Amino acid sequence: MFHVQPQDPFHGIWVPLITPFTGHQVDHPALRRLVRHYRRAGVHGLIACGTTAEAAAMDAAEQAAVLDTILAESGATPVVMGLAGNNLRQAQARAREWGARPIAGLLATAPYYIRPSQAGLLDWFGALADAAPAPLVLYDIPYRTGVALEPETLLRLAAHPNIAAIKDCGGSLDKTIALIADGRLAVLAGEDMQALATLCLGGRGVIAASAHVRPDLYVALYDAVAAGRLGQARALFHALAPVIRLLYAEPNPGPVKALLGRLHGFDGAVRAPLAAPDPALLRTLEAAVAALPEA
């Protein structure tokens, strides 16, 4: 059964899709199979061309083709497109191009390497939101970009009519609580180990690379919290936690992509500078996944 989506898409379990490759090309048939699999599992949304998709290793044409393949199979499941870079005019042009497609939003990071001030970040995200035909989902991930979005900056950005949500990888519980309490942005946990805590605090959902593996358990976790069945939610999370740790034992998406390749019958290779995971890690991961309970 495919999940029926309510009008507001920024809630629930979102899978930041990997990008299957075959040789030097995107494996579009494998990508279509994955999208159908996650729709059947009942996830609430899909992310195209995020960090886990190795978007930084793809050119703009490849990213657009990946987005089109996902949209062709996504049906009523909302899709958000990743948007990263440090050239504002190019980012605005991509926002306009991709936002003209039937997407739910654009997942936008701070410009990497430059480490702008908070005033610069306000200008950057405001300019992207002004240009984008689709709502902006802020992506606060300072350990990758080199700069954090401070709470005051986020609360000012929340006033923009075209900024709707945040993928929260900021590493600050105080900031997470402040955003949830403010209520204007849909707070989506971006750190897999923070999924249960964020949901219990009132966060709207989770964007988790580990949800690739047993999406049904993640959907069950979300449903359990929403229904107040916290004992069930805790049991599900503690069952998933060993798998989450193993999936991040080497740089993401190496382990999850290799595992998915074995489970779904495609080449699980990553592009340079990433490398294939250690075979021993992969064997341990397979055993941990096999030990997971039924939903």
Side-chain angles (χ1 to χ4, degrees):
M1 292 290 292
F2 291 143
H3 190 86
V4 177
Q5 300 297 333
Q7 188 173 3
D8 177 11
F10 298 116
H11 74 282
I13 302 301
W14 287 66
V15 176
L17 287 164
I18 61 105
T19 306
F21 299 124
T22 177
H24 296 293
Q25 306 297 320
V26 173
D27 186 345
H28 288 276
L31 181 57
R32 286 193 289 270
R33 293 196 302 273
L34 284 176
V35 173
R36 291 195 293 269
H37 170 69
Y38 294 117
R39 285 186 64 203
R40 286 192 293 269
V43 303
H44 301 80
L46 300 168
I47 307 290
C49 295
T51 306
T52 304
E54 300 171 82
M58 293 189 284
D59 61 34
E62 286 181 308
Q63 291 183 40
V66 164
L67 175 59
D68 288 338
T69 292
I70 292 170
L71 287 171
E73 295 288 348
S74 61
T77 304
V79 175
V80 162
M81 178 63 171
L83 178 65
N86 51 20
N87 181 302
L88 180 59
R89 285 187 297 176
Q90 290 179 358
Q92 287 175 314
R94 290 197 300 273
R96 285 189 287 266
E97 176 193 348
W98 294 335
R101 291 164 165 85
I103 61 174
L106 291 156
L107 178 65
T109 66
Y112 57 84
Y113 186 76
I114 296 171
R115 299 179 67 187
S117 67
Q118 295 301 299
L121 291 170
L122 282 168
D123 290 343
W124 174 268
F125 286 109
L128 286 182
D130 289 342
L136 222 60
V137 179
L138 304 175
Y139 188 178
D140 185 23
I141 185 163
Y143 58 83
R144 288 189 181 271
T145 64
V147 63
L149 286 158
E150 298 297 339
E152 182 180 352
T153 302
L154 288 167
L155 293 174
R156 290 179 65 182
L157 288 170
H160 195 292
N162 202 36
I163 298 178
I166 180 168
K167 180 180 179 182
D168 178 20
C169 297
S172 166
L173 182 59
D174 286 344
K175 183 160 58 176
T176 302
I177 291 170
L179 292 172
I180 292 170
D182 178 74
R184 288 176 293 172
L185 296 177
V187 177
L188 306 170
E191 295 292 338
D192 302 36
M193 280 296 191
Q194 297 301 317
L196 178 60
T198 297
L199 289 174
C200 288
L201 285 167
R204 297 281 300 282
V206 179
I207 301 173
S210 57
H212 276 95
V213 178
R214 283 292 303 276
D216 58 326
L217 293 183
Y218 267 93
V219 172
L221 169 65
Y222 174 79
D223 289 342
V225 174
R229 301 190 302 270
L230 297 187
Q232 179 189 2
R234 284 193 293 268
L236 286 166
F237 179 77
H238 286 298
L240 286 164
V243 173
I244 295 171
R245 293 189 186 96
L246 289 168
L247 287 170
Y248 288 98
E250 293 187 20
N252 180 57
V256 69
K257 198 171 186 183
L259 178 64
L260 291 172
R262 293 191 178 188
L263 294 175
H264 296 279
F266 61 84
D267 187 343
V270 290
R271 283 185 174 174
L274 293 173
D278 186 288
L281 171 63
L282 192 54
R283 289 192 295 271
T284 304
L285 184 54
E286 288 178 310
V289 171
L292 286 171
E294 294 300 315

